[in-house]
Amino acid sequence: MARRRQEIALQAEIETQEEWNEAINKDGLTVVDVYQQWAGPFVDIYQAYGGPCKAMEPKFRTIKNTLGDAILNFAIAKADTIDSLEKHRGRCEPCFLFYASGVLVDAVIGANAPELQRKIMLNLEEEKRILKEGGERREFIFQQIDQDEDEEVDPRLQRHRSSSVANAITSQQYTLAVIRPDAYADGKVDEIVETITQNGFKILVQEEHHLNEHDARELHRYKMNQEGYEEHIARMTSGPSVVLLLQKTDAKASTVDDLRELVNSDELLKTNVDYTPSTDNIHDELMLLLPHIARRPRTPEENLERTLAIIRPSALKLYKDAIIDRIRDSGFEVTRTLEIQLTRQQVEEFYASKKNEPYYEDIIQEMTSGPSLALYLTKKDAIQGFHALLGPAEKNKIKEATGTFRHDFDIVDAKINSLHAPRTRAEANRHLQFFFPEERILVILKPNLSDQQRSEIVATFKKAGFFIMTRKMEKLTSEQVAQLQQSHQGKDYYNELLNYMTSGPSELFVLVKENASQSWQQLVGPDDPAKAVESAPTSLRALYGKDLVHNAIDVSMDVEQAKNDIHLIFGDLDREEA
């Protein structure tokens, strides 16, 4: 194949192992389009898929010109003649590899221009940080969840493989099928499963599921205007169905398309099996039919809690450094500190719940006798974890509680213990707000974002200094959307927005930070992703949004509005549970 150095001036062309080694070991970020001679590089494949020729080159050039970054490089590499790319031979999907100083840090498989732009922005920002501050680059691993071709899997064990499947679900490689109740009742499940597997599909999960009317209508909402819809809903709720999570790694386009083609060409399947109509539906159907897979267990990082510790004045004079070192050695991160001389009025406000206790005046006297030190702590299960380390609050019990903070740092002559910490999450929220005032905002990750996109957005929250106070996955009602989207009511796109926001589950967060509303607006960007790309190309809406309705993320307009929004979704976060 003739070289095209002049034709693709932006992209260096790589055809030998030596050129490959040199290209990927450059300083900065190098984005490599991997191709094969029989197909040509991605520009030709894209044309074969029906898109315009050289579709990505203008996008790459725009990104390069917009960012003006000398450390961003583009290349095309021929897999046929480069040993390092052997595993990419024989694949028809476009493949883009991201290298930073010799380390593979990311990849995009498939013709997805918005995803490429987003990954370029994210990885370039991370590489700049590493070059400036130092640090280790995370190597990207192509995850495989398939068994070896010859490996037999006991169908009874399929349901126990949920955790590994949940971490690898992608819209291109997986689909869902539902064997209808009448087929289940007639004993046709084994025959149907055999037909599906004989056509190259692997069954990752097989479970019984009895649909209620609501779930059946949600699952088949795309059929609601078709003849026989009500009769079909009645059949689907008449008894248990069998849900299959399927994978076909050699699918021509996607597993969804291949299953649809198979079902429509086989009479047994056509009369007994429903299937996912589009790759856009997979996440919502997983949430509906296999929620234990869609809602994967939280990692320790996601379960991170925050709490407050107060070193009282007498202990602060003697044990300040020792206490802080002990806290850190116990696995807590001390994210902020405040040394403060409290007035009597402040102490009375903080300890208002103790006003009728016999030791109330002793607290007032100790806490106003000198400066105290407030510590903002974070760790998994921080509230209960730190409270357990403190030991008993009563002075007459501290002597026996060897090994606890209150024992080891006790002030014998003091009438109260040396340290304070909240017992509950609501109490921790109130106490932290007293010493470290923060703004709270409600953030909504809209339906149909992939798990990977959600994870990347959450990582951006944390990198910007936001703490996740609480979070949950929930399908919003029309009434909730109407209250959350008041500023959009009356706009010509509002009905489309309402339908979209109620089409599937959203992930909702309460984020906290000093001056959260100011820094959030910079992080999220303008409502319209097209404007965000121009004015804030690294903002979240520029990276993840598609249009004004499908702009990936919604956020409270201001702090006062956020109070109402948070109460609507999460209730009173500062109120103790009954």
Side-chain angles (χ1 to χ4, degrees):
M1 182 181 208
R3 295 201 173 202
R4 299 176 295 168
R5 297 189 186 278
Q6 293 182 345
E7 184 182 344
I8 310 180
L10 178 69
Q11 298 168 287
E13 188 168 353
I14 306 168
E15 293 190 353
T16 68
Q17 184 66 42
E18 183 180 356
E19 290 174 336
W20 172 260
N21 293 339
E22 181 181 351
I24 68 170
N25 283 287
K26 285 182 178 178
D27 288 339
L29 181 70
T30 300
V31 182
V32 184
D33 168 9
V34 178
Y35 73 98
Q36 295 172 79
Q37 187 170 10
W38 59 268
F42 175 61
V43 291
D44 297 325
I45 296 175
Y46 196 83
Q47 186 179 31
Y49 285 164
C53 183
K54 303 180 185 177
M56 288 310 303
E57 184 187 356
K59 176 64 71 176
F60 287 157
R61 194 176 298 280
T62 299
I63 294 172
K64 179 78 172 177
N65 291 340
T66 301
L67 299 178
D69 237 301
I71 67 167
L72 175 60
N73 306 294
F74 296 95
I76 57 174
K78 187 192 291 185
D80 311 70
T81 57
I82 300 171
D83 292 341
S84 295
L85 297 177
E86 182 178 2
K87 67 182 178 182
H88 296 284
R89 296 171 190 166
R91 305 181 67 153
C92 63
E93 283 186 301
C95 176
F96 293 86
L97 305 179
F98 294 67
Y99 279 89
S101 299
V103 178
L104 178 65
V105 294
D106 214 333
V108 172
I109 307 298
N112 192 334
E115 181 76 352
L116 271 168
Q117 177 173 334
R118 183 173 61 82
K119 288 286 187 81
I120 289 171
M121 299 288 197
L122 289 173
N123 284 285
L124 184 62
E125 182 181 358
E126 178 65 10
E127 182 61 14
K128 285 180 180 177
R129 185 192 66 78
I130 290 174
L131 290 175
K132 181 180 179 180
E133 303 174 6
E136 185 176 348
R137 295 172 180 85
R138 282 182 159 185
E139 184 175 2
F140 178 84
I141 305 295
F142 284 96
Q143 293 187 357
Q144 298 292 334
I145 68 167
D146 328 24
Q147 292 83 21
D148 294 335
E149 290 298 324
D150 298 330
E151 182 182 351
E152 294 291 334
V153 179
D154 186 340
R156 292 171 299 176
L157 301 180
Q158 296 286 2
R159 67 190 64 209
H160 299 299
R161 303 176 56 219
S162 300
S163 60
S164 62
V165 174
N167 290 329
I169 297 295
T170 66
S171 61
Q172 296 299 317
Q173 289 191 358
Y174 301 88
T175 191
L176 284 161
V178 179
I179 302 175
R180 298 171 185 168
D182 48 356
Y184 178 89
D186 293 341
K188 296 180 180 179
V189 172
D190 290 344
E191 184 182 1
I192 291 170
V193 167
E194 184 178 0
T195 301
I196 291 172
T197 55
Q198 285 178 347
N199 282 274
F201 293 86
K202 291 183 178 180
I203 298 177
L204 302 176
V205 176
Q206 179 174 332
E207 292 189 5
E208 292 181 16
H209 190 104
H210 196 147
L211 290 170
N212 58 38
E213 183 177 351
H214 174 271
D215 289 353
R217 292 187 184 279
E218 280 293 304
L219 187 65
H220 298 92
R221 61 186 181 275
Y222 63 96
K223 292 183 177 181
M224 63 186 302
N225 295 321
Q226 297 179 12
E227 186 178 351
Y229 171 72
E230 291 298 335
E231 291 81 358
H232 188 64
I233 295 300
R235 282 199 302 272
M236 293 303 295
T237 56
S238 64
S241 302
V242 176
V243 178
L244 306 175
L245 178 62
L246 305 173
Q247 179 192 38
K248 190 177 184 186
T249 55
D250 60 349
K252 288 179 289 186
S254 70
T255 300
V256 170
D257 295 337
D258 277 28
L259 181 66
R260 180 172 60 245
E261 184 178 328
L262 173 63
V263 170
N264 290 329
S265 65
D266 186 285
E267 195 60 31
L268 173 68
L269 302 184
K270 192 173 184 179
T271 56
N272 294 291
V273 175
D274 289 334
Y275 53 83
T276 303
S278 165
T279 56
D280 294 335
N281 300 87
I282 289 177
H283 186 268
D284 290 349
E285 292 192 5
L286 272 172
M287 289 290 296
L288 188 68
L289 300 175
L290 301 173
H292 55 289
I293 291 179
R295 297 184 181 123
R296 58 181 176 80
R298 294 276 170 84
T299 64
E301 183 181 2
E302 290 173 323
N303 283 325
L304 198 68
E305 277 188 344
R306 58 185 194 150
T307 191
L308 178 79
I310 300 175
I311 306 176
R312 304 193 200 272
S314 298
L316 186 65
K317 295 176 184 176
L318 297 176
Y319 300 124
K320 175 181 177 180
D321 291 340
I323 292 174
I324 293 174
D325 288 344
R326 176 90 162 265
I327 288 173
R328 288 185 170 132
D329 290 343
S330 299
F332 291 85
E333 182 178 353
V334 181
T335 61
R336 294 159 67 185
T337 64
L338 175 66
E339 189 165 323
I340 182 172
Q341 172 67 61
L342 294 169
T343 65
R344 182 181 180 92
Q345 182 179 353
Q346 288 172 319
V347 177
E348 288 177 346
E349 178 184 350
F350 187 78
Y351 285 105
S353 63
K354 308 294 184 184
K355 190 170 184 178
N356 295 323
E357 299 292 342
Y359 53 80
Y360 179 69
E361 282 301 325
D362 294 332
I363 292 177
I364 300 294
Q365 183 177 348
E366 170 63 24
M367 295 300 293
T368 56
S369 66
S372 299
L373 183 65
L375 306 171
Y376 189 125
L377 309 180
T378 58
K379 187 187 177 185
K380 179 185 176 184
D381 300 325
I383 297 168
Q384 294 303 319
F386 188 68
H387 208 272
L389 294 175
L390 282 183
E394 300 85 350
K395 282 288 288 187
N396 60 353
K397 296 181 180 179
I398 288 175
K399 186 176 180 180
E400 307 300 325
T402 56
T404 65
F405 276 73
R406 284 172 174 157
H407 173 276
D408 295 351
F409 302 110
D410 186 36
I411 305 297
V412 177
D413 296 334
K415 294 182 179 181
I416 62 172
N417 57 58
S418 301
L419 295 99
H420 166 89
R423 294 175 176 269
T424 66
R425 180 172 294 183
E427 192 176 43
N429 290 339
R430 294 195 302 271
H431 289 186
L432 283 164
Q433 190 68 12
F434 186 92
F435 287 98
F436 303 101
E438 296 174 312
E439 293 178 346
R440 302 174 185 177
I441 56 171
L442 179 75
V443 176
I444 305 173
L445 300 191
K446 294 185 176 181
N448 298 331
L449 287 172
S450 70
D451 287 344
Q452 181 180 352
Q453 289 173 327
R454 293 177 191 276
S455 296
E456 291 171 354
I457 292 171
V458 170
T460 304
F461 295 162
K462 294 176 180 177
K463 186 177 180 180
F466 288 91
F467 185 86
I468 298 174
M469 189 173 177
T470 188
R471 67 195 288 182
K472 66 178 177 179
M473 187 79 79
E474 181 174 292
K475 186 175 179 181
L476 296 172
T477 65
S478 298
E479 292 75 18
Q480 287 174 319
V481 173
Q483 292 188 56
L484 293 169
Q485 305 287 346
Q486 292 181 30
S487 63
H488 296 283
Q489 291 184 23
K491 303 289 179 64
D492 56 2
Y493 56 81
Y494 178 71
N495 287 336
E496 182 185 359
L497 176 64
L498 178 63
N499 291 334
Y500 173 55
M501 293 296 291
T502 56
S503 67
S506 298
E507 191 162 11
L508 303 112
F509 299 80
V510 177
L511 302 184
V512 296
K513 184 184 177 183
E514 287 183 291
N515 301 316
S517 56
Q518 294 178 15
S519 52
W520 175 257
Q521 296 302 329
Q522 298 170 2
L523 188 67
V524 72
D527 285 345
D528 189 342
K531 294 180 180 178
V533 169
E534 294 176 2
S535 62
T538 61
S539 66
L540 292 170
R541 283 180 175 143
L543 296 174
Y544 298 93
K546 296 179 181 179
D547 54 45
L548 193 55
V549 170
H550 307 84
N551 61 357
I553 301 167
D554 201 10
V555 60
S556 302
M557 291 183 61
D558 53 47
V559 175
E560 288 304 312
Q561 181 62 43
K563 292 178 182 178
N564 296 328
D565 294 345
I566 291 169
H567 194 272
L568 174 69
I569 301 299
F570 291 99
D572 187 353
L573 295 175
D574 295 330
R575 183 177 180 180
E576 299 293 349
E577 296 182 4

